Amino acid sequence: MAFVLKKEELPHFSKHIISKEYGLFAPVRKEARSIFKRIDENQVGEVSLDYIRTIMPPLKSLLIPPKETLLKIKDGKIEEMLPGPENKTAILGVHPCDVNAMNLLERVYMDRPKDPYFEARRKNLIIIALNCSSADEKCFCTSFGTGPSLEEGFDLILTDLGDRFLVEVGSRKGSELIGDFYMPKASSTDLMEKDETIRRVKGMIRRHVNTAGLQRIMTGALYNPIWNELADRCTGCGACNMVCPTCFCFNVIDEPELDSGSVLRSRTWDGCLLWEYAEVALGGNFRKDLSARIRQFVNHKMNYWLNQYGALGCVGCGRCIEQCPAKIDITSIVARLRGELL
Amino acid sequence: MMNGKLKVGVFKLASCSGCQMVLVHLEESLLEVLKYVELKYFRMVSDDDLPNEPLDVAIVEGAVTNEEEGIMIKKIRKMSRFLIAAGACAATGGLNAIKNTTPEGEVESTVYSSPEYIRSGKAFGLNEYVNVDAYLYGCPIDGRELINTLMSLAIRVPPYIPGITVCMECKMNGNECIFLTRGEPCLGPVTVGGCNALCPSNGVTCEGCRGVLKGTNPKGLELAWTNAGVSPDLIRLKLRKYSDVYKLLTR
């Protein structure tokens, strides 16, 4: 099923979602950029779907919050802090690369073993995706088939057709969300315009990773001097780990809570670029050199994921390239290792 | 569980007292902390002399800049089971250590009209003289981290000291990068996190007060600044402010 939503109707549609008792997350302007935030009824006018890339990956931030309390321990009793079914969440305007990144996170968190915290949040989540209507020189989703359009993994999906959005239904949950909100049915012209938009955006994407036989090439390059060379430039800051929508590692910490006399066990995002990450008891460290840590980051995405989870671990969102203070570019690393770039 | 209250002493070497003030400013939380902690020595709030008994924890603020302070820190170490270097000065020498890069006489005559009264040498963090068990970073320290550390020690678990960078916390806060968008040199990429990226989240660059995180690469950051057109003078001043980075780069 497909419908048409006039752009001036978007605030009403947002209100409709909130009225169905969903906590709504959507992109709003913050200075020159967009940032996903929780929107209440009075802020629906701020929702702005005209963006290419947010700094943080919205679905990762929702499903695995940067800091999440898992257990509360008091007087020998352990309480699991699982989000309840009342915490229904809707996310509006999330691009295909980010939805595909979440599909990858599901392979990590929903299988062998299931993570009950991730699962509870995922079950509570409804996804209103947004096909891309623009791209910049850091986008390379077409290399992984993760954008600029999306065929599955959403409940509803919008496409910007200038003065209106095409709204397509991807699941029963999505159809139920529309419910009694009236939208005219889409015509074949609307659908053709969508295809035209996607074609146009594909043409805008100039950056590529050649994935053919990539695993063999990456494994063959484990001792390539490029890793030492990159380690001279890399600051080791871990920003790439934070902004990557598929980086899923966390650390677990215990903190005493002063007022209640209990101890909180939380998990916080961690990153393989950090010294502490591969450190073990008595100070041993499996990745003492920064070069080994950069090699791990790049190889995990472009090589190890395939054996681990059956897909490459990059969706081509361009965030690590955009946010690196040292301007290190994962696509040019791969190109150099393939001999496609000097 | 705990064996009576933790006996704690708070000491000050060459410093501005700002980190001790953080402890005082905990106010209501301080009263909660005092259920687990007995303050045996804290000159800022009490005239009581140092008791003649061992301490469980010494919280030491300030850098060591002369012989007396060197003797003092060794005495504190001897009488304490757990020594916390609290704040940038105690951790790395802090702002005091700016002077380490200039001849002593020159520094003294710039600052004082009668430098002959000054008895001071190079400024160093506590670990140049004694073993330090835990560091509380920052200028000043973070009250929440201080509470966590004391409470963890009170219930006999190792305190959690974050091993992430300011840059990572800045990203988690969804901030636009000040260095990448405005070209201003920010020390966030190599600085120990735990402050929740306080400065960059408020639109100013990180000054590196929490010291360099082990495993990060300040030389790479210096190169990134240079490539972005930051002047060598500004880079020098920026790296020298909290000594730590400068020490690493010039070693």
Side-chain angles (χ1 to χ4, degrees), chain B residues 135-176:
Chain B
Y135 294 89
L136 288 172
Y137 298 105
C139 180
I141 55 170
D142 182 87
R144 189 67 239 175
E145 269 184 358
L146 174 62
I147 293 175
N148 277 349
T149 303
L150 286 175
M151 295 294 291
S152 298
L153 292 172
I155 60 171
R156 308 289 190 267
V157 299
Y160 168 65
I161 313 287
I164 64 171
T165 62
V166 170
C167 197
M168 289 166 75
E169 292 185 322
C170 196
K171 293 292 165 292
M172 290 188 220
N173 290 344
N175 299 323
E176 189 73 271

Side-chain angles (χ1 to χ4, degrees), chain A residues 33-286:
Chain A
R33 291 289 286 261
S34 287
I35 182 167
F36 274 83
K37 77 168 207 191
R38 174 87 189 249
I39 301 293
D40 68 31
E41 267 186 351
N42 303 317
Q43 297 164 317
V44 289
E46 292 174 38
V47 175
S48 165
L49 297 185
D50 171 26
Y51 78 101
I52 291 178
R53 180 186 305 108
T54 52
I55 291 169
M56 291 304 288
L59 286 164
K60 174 170 107 171
S61 306
L62 264 186
L63 293 167
I64 325 159
K67 185 170 183 181
E68 174 181 24
T69 301
L70 305 174
L71 305 172
K72 189 172 188 167
I73 305 149
K74 193 179 181 183
D75 300 331
K77 280 196 210 74
I78 299 175
E79 187 191 341
E80 278 199 342
M81 309 292 276
L82 280 170
E86 71 284 0
N87 298 312
K88 289 201 303 180
T89 303
I91 190 159
L92 168 68
V94 50
H95 282 313
C97 58
D98 281 331
V99 176
N100 275 308
M102 182 203 65
N103 294 340
L104 290 175
L105 289 178
E106 283 182 357
R107 297 187 192 208
V108 179
Y109 279 89
M110 300 277 275
D111 192 25
R112 297 175 299 152
K114 263 188 191 173
D115 181 277
Y117 300 88
F118 183 98
E119 191 188 22
R121 289 206 165 82
R122 179 66 189 94
K123 279 191 172 154
N124 283 341
L125 181 65
I126 194 159
I127 295 171
I128 305 149
L130 173 69
N131 283 322
C132 293
S133 54
S134 189
D136 67 15
E137 43 83 33
K138 296 189 181 73
C139 294
F140 56 108
C141 57
T142 46
S143 302
F144 302 96
T146 49
S149 61
L150 191 62
E151 306 309 324
E152 56 181 0
F154 56 87
D155 298 298
L156 294 175
I157 191 161
L158 312 183
T159 309
D160 189 332
L161 301 180
D163 58 343
R164 65 203 189 284
F165 291 106
L166 177 73
V167 182
E168 292 170 282
V169 178
S171 74
R172 225 179 89 182
K173 247 165 106 182
S175 157
E176 283 166 8
L177 179 67
I178 294 177
D180 59 358
F181 187 84
Y182 174 74
M183 287 183 282
K185 285 215 168 81
S187 66
S188 56
T189 322
D190 296 322
L191 293 169
M192 272 163 59
E193 268 187 58
K194 172 200 162 182
D195 291 345
E196 183 46 46
T197 302
I198 304 300
R199 238 194 322 274
R200 185 175 51 78
V201 178
K202 274 187 183 160
M204 293 167 84
I205 295 171
R206 300 256 179 263
R207 190 181 287 269
H208 294 287
V209 168
N210 179 356
T211 58
L214 185 56
Q215 195 171 26
R216 192 180 42 80
I217 291 165
M218 295 303 292
T219 302
L222 286 177
Y223 298 96
N224 192 294
I226 194 173
W227 309 116
N228 287 327
E229 196 189 301
L230 287 165
D232 290 339
R233 288 165 55 202
C234 174
T235 65
C237 67
C240 48
N241 289 136
M242 297 296 99
V243 301
C244 177
T246 69
C247 263
F248 55 78
C249 290
F250 58 81
N251 191 6
V252 175
I253 58 170
D254 290 341
E255 289 172 305
E257 197 184 46
L258 195 56
D259 317 330
S260 67
S262 50
V263 170
L264 300 180
R265 170 160 294 181
S266 309
R267 64 177 169 200
T268 61
W269 287 1
D270 205 347
C272 55
L273 265 296
L274 296 173
W275 166 273
E276 217 182 60
Y277 182 88
E279 195 179 31
V280 291
L282 303 175
N285 197 316
F286 293 106

Side-chain angles (χ1 to χ4, degrees), chain B residues 81-153:
Chain B
R81 282 174 56 203
F82 199 90
L83 180 80
I84 300 174
C89 300
T92 65
L95 289 175
N96 297 298
I98 292 176
K99 71 173 183 171
N100 291 1
T101 54
T102 314
E104 194 57 38
E106 202 180 305
V107 176
E108 286 168 5
S109 57
T110 313
V111 180
Y112 299 100
S113 48
S114 313
E116 58 275 19
Y117 295 110
I118 305 302
R119 286 171 297 109
S120 174
K122 284 200 187 323
F124 292 111
L126 308 186
N127 64 1
E128 290 278 341
Y129 294 84
V130 294
N131 284 327
V132 173
D133 298 306
Y135 294 89
L136 288 172
Y137 298 105
C139 180
I141 55 170
D142 182 87
R144 189 67 239 175
E145 269 184 358
L146 174 62
I147 293 175
N148 277 349
T149 303
L150 286 175
M151 295 294 291
S152 298
L153 292 172

Side-chain angles (χ1 to χ4, degrees), chain A residues 282-328:
Chain A
L282 303 175
N285 197 316
F286 293 106
R287 298 193 199 106
K288 271 201 172 69
D289 296 329
L290 188 51
S291 60
R293 303 201 287 276
I294 300 165
R295 185 177 73 177
Q296 165 65 22
F297 175 79
V298 176
N299 270 278
H300 197 202
K301 307 292 167 198
M302 298 292 177
N303 180 357
Y304 310 148
W305 256 83
L306 209 50
N307 286 352
Q308 207 178 354
Y309 299 111
L312 288 175
C314 179
V315 294
C317 71
R319 287 190 178 92
C320 59
I321 302 172
E322 184 187 78
Q323 293 299 324
C324 179
K327 302 204 186 312
I328 290 173

